[in-house]
Amino acid sequence: MTSLGIEKLHDMLKSGEITSEEIVKESIKKSHEIQEKCNAFVTIMDNASCEKITDDLLSGIPYGIKDNYSTKDILSTGSSNTLKDYVPFFDATAVANLKKHGAVAVNKTALDEFGMGGTGTTAHTGVIRNPWDTKRMCAGSSSGSAAAVAAGVYPYALGSDTGDSIRKPAAFCGIVGYKPTYGMISRYGLFPFASSLDTCGVLTRSVKDAAIVVDAMKGIDKNDQTSWDSSNIHLYDSIDGNVKGKKLFYIKEIVDIKNYPDASNELKRHLEIFNEALNKLRDIGVSIEEVSFDQELLKAIPSVYVCLSCAEATSNMSNLTGIIFGPRGYGDSFEKLAKDHRTKGFSPLIKRRFVIGSYILQKENQERYFVNAQRVRRLIVDKMKQLFASYDALILPVSAGVAPYIDGSKDELTSNNTAILEEHLQIGNFGGFPSITIPDGFIDGLPVGINITGNCKMDENVLNIAYALESTMDYKGMIAGCPNE
């Protein structure tokens, strides 16, 4: 049952064909099975109770919560040893909103520590493995959520996206990952990483399910001054698949095979799959054009992201001292207590981010690094806004290929010859743009994804284009290990 979509489950619940108790129990049972296979969870709520079935599509249906969302009276660790025993006294607004719709949380999903990684290998509970091939990673940081949804534990799980942390795990796990416009969903209760980039979102197995969930999560919130009133936006109701006359663009410098002189067969095949998807869109009346983007700006994307995210993370995480909450460190002064707590509690990757962030924020370095990074971010966003004045959305492949192997991988702040192709999703965070990844095909039995990004507050348009493309392919609702080729 849990492998079905939200609409189908709701119909079965309303008709009495199944009960909320039955589906919640099945989800918990699958959680334990997937935990052994993929190590996807920090907490499994064996005592999760069913909810009354109403006309609300989410009522009585189980789901997962990324463990960087605050959940009242439920362990919320951010997958870090610094918060390994932290139990909040309040729910994140997004979680509280889902409760109002009768949704049933059954587990807290593991992530790269505090969302600051892209491999799913830095959680304090261990490496998170891809259900399509457990020797491979899920990407990150929403690794556990992606693995659980892909494995059919439930129809959806919450994620957060600061650079690509919903959309790339979705691609590597053969599911849908949706990052709405910045501020559409309140960030209150989401553990902050980089506040100007962080966005709440969802991972599902279909575009419509993503729309249903975000409709329930979104809304203005007095506790988050960056949230805005989206009451006139109705994502689920707006989806009709009519995209005739829509105009998309892709960036030549990112997908031109000539820019990758040592391209692997995997990369070549992925770009072929991408072009096949473009042709499917053209067949249903969408026009697609190639545009050029300043290559120096594209090359700067990873560096800008590192500068801004590390600086903001250093500031946001300064309260993790072991004094206010978290396991107490050892020492005879505040400084020594905090140093011991942070030295023992954080993974090497997090420490590197804090070192970089502290250096960037030093008074003598701010102009050269932090302020310049903000300037380049503005140039990139301005160029995107200019393009969105003429086009409905940007379409690009998510990455250079399938999920990499875990062994030998390193979650480091480095680049390679496919860095632009791997890092371009960060543009969506720079501008707060709505962005969605959907499955696009398979290479050697492993999924790859395609991404659609649009202008701010044009979420209905972005989801409808994604739905139309999804409808031309046979990858909706896939469960890991069962490719519909």
Side-chain angles (χ1 to χ4, degrees), residues 129-184:
R129 298 180 288 274
N130 193 315
W132 288 90
D133 179 352
T134 55
K135 298 186 294 296
R136 295 178 183 268
M137 66 177 65
C138 297
S141 62
S142 304
S143 319
S145 291
V149 172
V153 174
Y154 30 52
Y156 70 98
L158 305 193
S160 61
D161 193 310
T162 306
D164 57 21
S165 289
I166 287 174
R167 293 161 292 161
K168 187 171 281 187
F172 284 175
C173 290
I175 59 174
V176 171
Y178 171 36
K179 180 196 83 68
T181 296
Y182 181 82
M184 177 179 274

Side-chain angles (χ1 to χ4, degrees), residues 8-9 62 149 156-157 183-184 196 212 270 283-284 307 315 340 343 380 396 408 412 424 426 462 476 480 484:
K8 178 62 176 177
L9 285 173
V149 172
Y156 70 98
M184 177 179 274
S196 74
I212 292 167
H270 194 187
D283 288 343
I284 58 174
C307 282
S315 176
D340 184 69
T343 299
I380 293 169
L396 287 170
E412 296 180 342
H424 69 82
Q426 293 162 5
V462 169
K476 182 175 73 173
N484 301 324

Side-chain angles (χ1 to χ4, degrees), residues 5 17 36 45 48 54 63-64 105 134 173 211 213 369 440 450 460 477:
E17 185 178 346
E36 292 183 12
M45 304 167 202
T54 68
Y63 76 104
T134 55
C173 290
V213 177
Y369 296 110
D440 186 33
I450 192 168
E460 292 172 327

